[in-house]
Amino acid sequence: MFALATVALVGPSLTTVIAVIIVTSIPTYGRVVRTQTLTIKASEFILAEQVMGVSTFRILSRHILPNVIGPLIILASMDIPTVIALEAGLSFLGMGVKPPTPSWGSILNDGYTLIRNTPWPIIAGSIPLVLITLGFTFLGESLRDLIDPKLRKNF
Amino acid sequence: MTQETSENVLSVRNLSVDYATERGSLSALRHVNVDVPKGSIVGVVGESGCGKSTLISSIIRLLADNANTPNGTIDFEGRDLLSLSQDEMRGIRGNRMSIVFQDPMSTLNPVISIGRQMIDIQHRSHKTKAEKRQRSIDMLTSVGIPDPTNRLDQFPHEFSGGMQQRISIAMALQAEPALLIADEPTTALDATLEVQIIHLLKSLQADIGCSILFISHHLGVIAELCDYVVVMYAGEVVEQGTVRDIFHHPAHPYTAMLLKCDPASISTKTRSLPTIKGEIPDLVTLPQGCVFKNRCDRVMQQCDSKVPMWREVKNAHFVSCHWNAP
Amino acid sequence: MSNILEVNNLRVRFRVMSALKARYKGVTDPFIDAVRDASFSIKEAETFTLVGESGSGKSTLALAVAGLLPTAEGTINFAGKEVTTMDRSQMQEYRRNISFIWQNPTGSLSPRQRVSALITEPYIVHGMRDRDLNAEAIRLLKMVGLSAHFADRYPHQLSGGQARRVGVARALALNPKLIIADEPTAGLDVSVQGEILNLLNRLQDDLGVSIFVITHNLNIVRHISNRTAIMYLGRFAEQGFTDDIFESPRHPYTLALLSANPKPNPDADMERIELKGEVPGLMNRPSGCEFHTRCPFSAENCTEVVPPQIDVSDQHTLTCHYPRQENNTLSP
């Protein structure tokens, strides 16, 4: 709704769409980072680093960040499909990217106008959307496994 | 300990449990025999990875999904628990058999008053609510909670750790079970409270006449509380007998070493404590022969090839070791 | 030998409610004392043990000594320098000279770092990058009895005993003068406990480091420490040479603790002093002697008058109105 209202107010363009998407998804990331950091901050190994005289910057970059980044990457990779869908949604409603810049949403929109004649433009337009959604989800899971040594299966 | 099942509340025979893991089959228990005679306290001793938790989980039939029980029987009051359905098991758990865990705070529901929790677990009984409430008050009195009538309406976090453990014992014994399984119930408590809980368990056991299977790694507590002791190592029961046989005349080298390692049994000051060299074998790729051979100080030729037999060294004292075998 | 650490009348307080709430509720003292009047010293190359049950304030005292908690009163003197008033750079210098062995063997190691990075981190933090870190990692692992291939492992791939050894290696990296070990045997099996304690003893003999052990496990105390203090509700009940404490305990709480310890012998003669009730919370600290609510020997003035610290023999002090007689444990 927020996205629709903003675009309606400012007028559709590529920049607006990007800005709107950024503004709507940032709070989620903030929350995840905050809760993760708070949990990790309370663990004994952080206290151990402090006693050793490790600087706050080093604790943040070396010990907290690697533990926060995992959930963040999953969130991001799962968000890519959402964002694509959001853009497609906006473009479908004619509030997104303007032709001639191509967009899956506009393709679907074009297909929609032809739905009485043939379903193929809709099907062809949605297949890549479905594939890319699944693809990014799997990518996120593999990335998490790669980053977290506990989930690496090579020992 | 008699090997006749009629005398025993619980009798585990030849029980093996495997877990399917990515590396292959992990054999957590192998041909385990444990007897709990009526009205006695049996202690189970062993270090981490010895299979204590798997043994409990298989007795209460709550093994993980990847577990597999290829052979064995668990005879409880004349029924083989392994052949019962989960519905029949639910009729036994919390009724004829109950369990007290290490951390009382994780077994009590933090958002429900202890009175309601104690009344709820009497759901099988057809008594009125007032009678159930009275029963809860009586149980709390018997475990030494002062002013139980008022404290019944309090929540778990309003009690101290020792009191919480008393409450979980009261809840476990409410149905007067035939067997109480106590899984390290004193580990989370301080020394002065530990003694209180041990004495409480002992006197309640005498009052109710139930049997207790007491799991602990604290040898002092086992020595003080138990009548019989079962020693486990790497998924096998290596020795069992009366508490005096085990502590005064250990027949298995592992038992002997374990007793020697306990700093409490060394009364003269030393800067070099005895240890058991080596590490517990990998339970996926078990060695041939005896499981303890790589750490044993009495190792012989046949230990390499032959798994030792489970034999009786003297009346009610069993061991699985080649040493001094006929 | 001179003292490496001297702590005098240390008091550590925690705020339990905000100033506003305290005023609203009419509470004049919105603080609790976690440590009260703690005085002790640790000599070079000796082990000092602090024994207490959970909630006695022993870990708080350790953290205060390490400069991680603000102190309310008292002094902490390390090798002639006052710790409580140190600025940032002095504190950094102080932390080079002390190190910690933490209670949780695995949980105190940063989970995303390899063992080699973990044990050489002290060098990087204290600006000693010039040395060959790989060689140092292997040297430290060797010192604690681990082979070089452990350098590439992650903390979760270690057993409890191995993780504990890595913790010790890390504590040794900067060649500290004082090691603070909080429950060094917690979570370890009996056979592994011995290995870790022997390791600490051996390292002390080789390197001359002082060790400050915090534990509730009485069984290990007499084998590792020269001097011992018993803590109850933030105050030292009794303090002295370990042998004196074990052979002729004088404070009723020490007696109760020692007698409560179950012996691994089914026929042991247990002459017990059983304590009534449970440890009171710090929020409602008993008046007079903190121990009077549980003490089997408490008399009238115990409930009102705070007992003074008395010296019974050479460096053996206690805070009690009615200490037990020497070698006669159960009668006053």
Side-chain angles (χ1 to χ4, degrees):
Chain A
M1 276 334 272
F2 172 77
L4 272 182
T6 321
V7 177
L9 212 64
V10 186
S13 80
L14 187 59
T15 342
T16 344
V17 170
I18 292 174
V20 160
I21 286 171
I22 290 174
V23 170
T24 46
S25 47
I26 265 186
T28 331
Y29 289 85
R31 267 202 299 277
V32 169
V33 171
R34 190 183 130 83
T35 43
Q36 281 286 319
T37 310
L38 286 179
T39 327
I40 294 159
K41 209 181 112 192
S43 30
E44 197 170 51
F45 73 87
I46 295 296
L47 201 61
E49 301 295 331
Q50 281 176 315
V51 175
M52 202 184 285
V54 181
S55 65
T56 313
F57 177 74
R58 193 180 162 86
I59 290 183
L60 281 173
S61 61
R62 277 303 182 95
H63 301 284
I64 292 185
L65 191 65
N67 289 294
V68 174
I69 206 119
L72 216 56
I73 285 181
I74 302 165
L75 189 67
S77 59
M78 303 245 176
D79 249 8
I80 292 175
T82 322
V83 166
I84 292 173
L86 187 63
E87 187 276 332
L90 285 174
S91 303
F92 180 78
L93 295 172
M95 298 240 181
V97 184
K98 286 279 149 201
T101 319
S103 151
W104 278 328
S106 336
I107 293 174
L108 283 182
N109 194 7
D110 294 345
Y112 184 68
T113 52
L114 300 171
I115 191 93
R116 280 171 188 277
N117 303 324
T118 165
W120 287 111
I122 290 265
I123 295 172
S126 42
I127 283 175
L129 208 56
V130 171
L131 281 182
I132 204 129
T133 311
L134 278 173
F136 274 111
T137 314
F138 289 135
L139 176 75
E141 294 204 352
S142 326
L143 274 178
R144 179 198 53 188
D145 291 358
L146 203 69
I147 286 169
D148 192 338
K150 273 181 218 165
L151 294 169
R152 235 175 270 167
K153 288 166 185 169
N154 54 357
F155 56 87
Chain B
M1 212 178 297
T2 56
Q3 292 285 36
E4 281 168 36
T5 44
S6 58
E7 298 273 330
N8 297 323
V9 171
L10 178 81
S11 172
V12 178
R13 280 283 159 279
N14 198 27
L15 178 73
S16 300
V17 175
D18 303 331
Y19 290 109
T21 68
E22 279 174 20
R23 294 190 301 137
S25 161
L26 185 149
S27 83
L29 289 181
R30 290 179 306 282
H31 309 290
V32 162
N33 295 318
V34 175
D35 288 310
V36 182
K38 255 190 192 116
S40 66
I41 306 181
V42 177
V44 179
V45 195
E47 299 185 283
S48 40
C50 72
K52 288 180 290 191
S53 326
T54 307
L55 178 65
I56 302 174
S57 312
S58 34
I59 293 173
I60 57 177
R61 286 281 306 280
L62 292 174
L63 278 170
D65 288 338
N66 61 342
N68 168 35
T69 320
N71 53 282
T73 57
I74 301 174
D75 187 276
F76 177 71
E77 297 193 303
R79 291 205 277 177
D80 181 13
L81 296 184
L82 291 179
S83 65
L84 297 184
S85 70
Q86 281 296 348
D87 263 351
E88 289 171 304
M89 246 347 262
R90 266 194 284 277
I92 290 177
R93 282 194 296 256
N95 189 24
R96 298 303 300 154
M97 178 196 281
S98 53
I99 180 158
V100 176
F101 290 98
Q102 180 173 342
D103 180 10
M105 207 47 205
S106 64
T107 49
L108 297 169
N109 189 333
V111 295
I112 300 178
S113 74
I114 62 144
R116 236 196 88 197
Q117 294 188 48
M118 293 190 74
I119 291 166
D120 282 353
I121 58 164
Q122 299 178 56
H123 61 92
R124 288 194 189 86
S125 144
H126 299 292
K127 289 185 189 144
T128 65
K129 199 152 182 209
E131 282 171 328
K132 286 181 179 173
R133 195 178 161 86
Q134 188 53 46
R135 170 92 184 124
S136 308
I137 294 172
D138 293 345
M139 280 314 292
L140 287 183
T141 316
S142 68
V143 295
I145 305 273
D147 190 20
T149 321
N150 291 321
R151 303 214 71 174
L152 215 50
D153 298 319
Q154 290 186 320
F155 290 88
H157 69 266
E158 296 176 72
F159 294 84
S160 65
M163 288 291 175
Q164 286 170 1
Q165 196 58 290
R166 282 166 192 266
I167 292 166
S168 26
I169 290 172
M171 288 173 74
L173 292 178
Q174 208 161 22
E176 306 213 337
L179 177 69
L180 173 71
I181 300 173
D183 185 5
E184 309 243 5
T186 61
T187 306
L189 301 176
D190 289 320
T192 50
L193 299 178
E194 189 169 43
V195 175
Q196 292 177 354
I197 296 288
I198 293 175
H199 288 185
L200 176 70
L201 275 176
K202 212 163 187 165
S203 71
L204 287 173
Q205 185 262 340
D207 287 352
I208 299 175
C210 64
S211 307
I212 301 180
L213 186 65
F214 188 90
I215 287 91
S216 179
H217 66 272
H218 192 327
L219 295 170
V221 172
I222 296 272
E224 187 162 344
L225 179 71
C226 301
D227 305 310
Y228 300 96
V229 179
V230 172
V231 184
M232 294 186 71
Y233 177 78
E236 288 177 12
V237 171
V238 291
E239 184 169 3
Q240 70 178 42
T242 64
V243 68
R244 287 193 174 74
D245 280 341
I246 297 286
F247 278 86
H248 296 321
H249 312 288
H252 197 282
Y254 175 64
T255 316
M257 281 172 154
L258 202 60
L259 291 172
K260 220 170 74 186
C261 279
D262 188 353
S265 58
I266 307 159
S267 52
T268 48
K269 185 171 177 164
T270 171
R271 300 249 315 157
S272 167
L273 293 158
T275 57
I276 305 179
K277 64 173 165 63
E279 277 180 47
I280 188 165
D282 184 359
L283 295 178
V284 176
T285 52
L286 278 169
Q288 271 217 316
C290 172
V291 273
F292 190 59
K293 65 179 181 195
N294 61 328
R295 307 176 75 180
C296 187
D297 56 357
R298 301 179 202 165
V299 68
M300 299 180 293
Q301 213 167 14
Q302 68 213 81
C303 301
D304 250 340
S305 50
K306 249 171 66 189
V307 176
M309 290 285 290
W310 183 240
R311 63 190 170 89
E312 196 164 11
V313 268
K314 62 175 254 230
N315 186 29
H317 186 179
F318 294 84
V319 70
S320 82
C321 178
H322 290 304
W323 184 258
N324 276 344
Chain C
M1 261 187 285
S2 59
N3 288 336
I4 188 81
L5 183 78
E6 264 176 55
V7 174
N8 280 310
N9 302 321
L10 190 73
R11 188 175 191 186
V12 182
R13 320 193 77 195
F14 290 119
R15 182 178 271 282
V16 282
M17 54 176 84
S18 66
L20 209 65
K21 194 176 172 190
R23 173 163 292 189
Y24 174 69
K25 288 202 166 181
V27 181
T28 48
D29 184 21
F31 292 94
I32 52 165
D33 285 8
V35 176
R36 207 180 238 201
D37 271 337
S39 301
F40 66 97
S41 59
I42 301 177
K43 290 190 178 61
E44 273 171 26
E46 82 161 356
T47 304
F48 181 87
T49 309
L50 183 59
V51 179
E53 297 182 289
S54 48
S56 62
K58 52 189 196 309
S59 295
T60 309
L61 178 56
L63 291 179
V65 166
L68 279 176
L69 287 175
T71 54
E73 280 167 32
T75 58
I76 302 168
N77 194 297
F78 179 82
K81 293 195 193 85
E82 180 54 36
V83 175
T84 49
T85 55
M86 277 181 181
D87 62 27
R88 239 188 141 83
S89 67
Q90 285 171 315
M91 191 54 102
Q92 195 72 0
E93 174 68 26
Y94 173 53
R95 287 185 175 154
R96 253 176 91 152
N97 287 311
I98 60 160
S99 58
F100 246 86
I101 295 173
W102 298 88
Q103 185 164 356
N104 183 344
T106 317
S108 55
L109 301 174
S110 191
R112 302 294 175 97
Q113 306 251 306
R114 288 177 196 274
V115 166
S116 54
L118 283 168
I119 58 180
T120 53
E121 187 170 31
Y123 296 120
I124 295 168
V125 170
H126 291 280
M128 290 182 268
R129 285 164 190 274
D130 51 331
R131 55 189 73 199
D132 180 357
L133 292 180
N134 270 330
E136 286 294 333
I138 289 164
R139 179 184 69 90
L140 287 167
L141 285 174
K142 211 172 154 190
M143 266 171 99
V144 296
L146 291 174
S147 57
H149 70 264
F150 279 99
D152 292 330
R153 301 244 182 131
Y154 284 99
H156 67 96
Q157 296 169 315
L158 304 170
S159 71
Q162 290 163 350
R164 174 60 81 215
R165 281 168 191 269
V166 170
V168 175
R170 206 172 187 217
L172 289 172
L174 293 172
N175 219 346
K177 297 197 175 79
L178 175 70
I179 295 178
I180 302 172
D182 191 358
E183 301 281 5
T185 58
L188 300 180
D189 285 323
V190 181
S191 61
V192 185
Q193 269 182 24
E195 285 175 26
I196 297 297
L197 297 176
N198 291 345
L199 174 68
L200 285 178
N201 280 337
R202 201 191 76 221
L203 292 169
Q204 184 168 52
D205 294 342
D206 293 353
L207 308 171
V209 62
S210 308
I211 305 180
F212 178 22
V213 176
I214 296 132
T215 187
H216 70 273
N217 186 346
L218 284 165
N219 297 329
I220 64 166
V221 174
R222 65 186 311 164
H223 302 301
I224 54 169
S225 74
N226 306 87
R227 287 186 303 128
T228 300
I230 314 280
M231 204 172 191
Y232 186 80
L233 277 190
R235 195 192 288 278
F236 281 10
E238 188 165 5
Q239 184 178 178
F241 286 108
T242 307
D243 294 341
D244 290 346
I245 300 271
F246 274 79
E247 270 143 42
S248 60
R250 306 289 296 275
H251 195 287
Y253 179 61
T254 316
L255 274 170
L257 262 189
L258 289 175
S259 72
N261 194 21
K263 293 181 182 54
N265 177 359
D267 298 314
D269 183 21
M270 290 303 225
E271 207 181 353
R272 279 232 166 90
I273 300 182
E274 271 205 48
L275 296 180
K276 310 171 263 182
E278 310 207 3
V279 189
L282 287 168
M283 298 283 282
N284 30 29
R285 178 185 284 276
S287 61
C289 172
E290 278 94 356
F291 188 55
H292 82 259
T293 53
R294 302 179 75 201
C295 183
F297 310 107
S298 71
E300 215 169 282
N301 61 343
C302 295
T303 60
E304 288 150 18
V305 186
V306 177
Q309 183 162 324
I310 48 173
D311 292 352
V312 284
S313 63
D314 179 35
Q315 295 187 37
H316 190 169
T317 60
L318 57 147
T319 43
C320 181
H321 288 300
Y322 304 102
R324 306 293 96 195
Q325 289 300 312
E326 217 166 326
N327 300 327
N328 181 5
T329 50
L330 286 179
S331 52

